[in-house]
């Protein structure tokens, strides 16, 4: 596995942006969409997650959040 590291800030020329390649993560190495989806699935199963719209209304929440808070999705979805 090859790791790509960005140049330190002090050594970058003015206006030079760090190179970011599609299909890589900040942890280095190449990861497929399936790898990323699997990581998100693990997080969803192990963490309580709630998603908000920019105005603060609840878009969705996972089962862990709903169980911990004692709500169902229809009870919280769309609430502020």
């Amino acid at each position: 596995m090859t790791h790509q590291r960005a140049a330190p800030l002090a050594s970058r020329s003015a206006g030079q942006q760090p190179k970011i390649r599609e299909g890589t993560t900040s942890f280095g190495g190449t990861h497929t969409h399936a790898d990323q989806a699997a990581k998100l699935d693990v997080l969803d199963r192990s963490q309580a997650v709630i998603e908000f719209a920019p105005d603060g209304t609840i878009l969705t929440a996972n089962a862990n959040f709903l169980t911990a808070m004692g709500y169902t999705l229809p009870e919280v979805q769309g609430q502020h």
Side-chain angles (χ1 to χ4, degrees):
M1 182 182 325
T2 304
H3 296 279
Q4 178 181 5
R5 295 180 185 223
L9 291 176
S11 67
R12 291 186 188 155
S13 302
Q16 183 183 10
Q17 296 294 318
K19 294 179 182 178
I20 300 173
R21 297 182 305 173
E22 186 174 333
T24 62
T25 67
S26 61
F27 301 109
T30 301
H31 299 282
T32 65
H33 176 72
D35 291 334
Q36 293 172 352
K39 288 177 184 178
L40 290 174
D41 182 54
V42 168
L43 289 173
D44 187 59
R45 287 186 282 128
S46 63
Q47 301 290 316
V49 179
I50 185 167
E51 183 179 349
F52 295 93
D55 68 357
T57 56
I58 298 171
L59 297 175
T60 191
N62 71 1
N64 293 336
F65 179 88
L66 297 170
T67 299
M69 301 306 291
Y71 290 110
T72 63
L73 186 57
E75 290 177 304
V76 299
Q77 202 165 34
Q79 299 298 312
H80 192 272

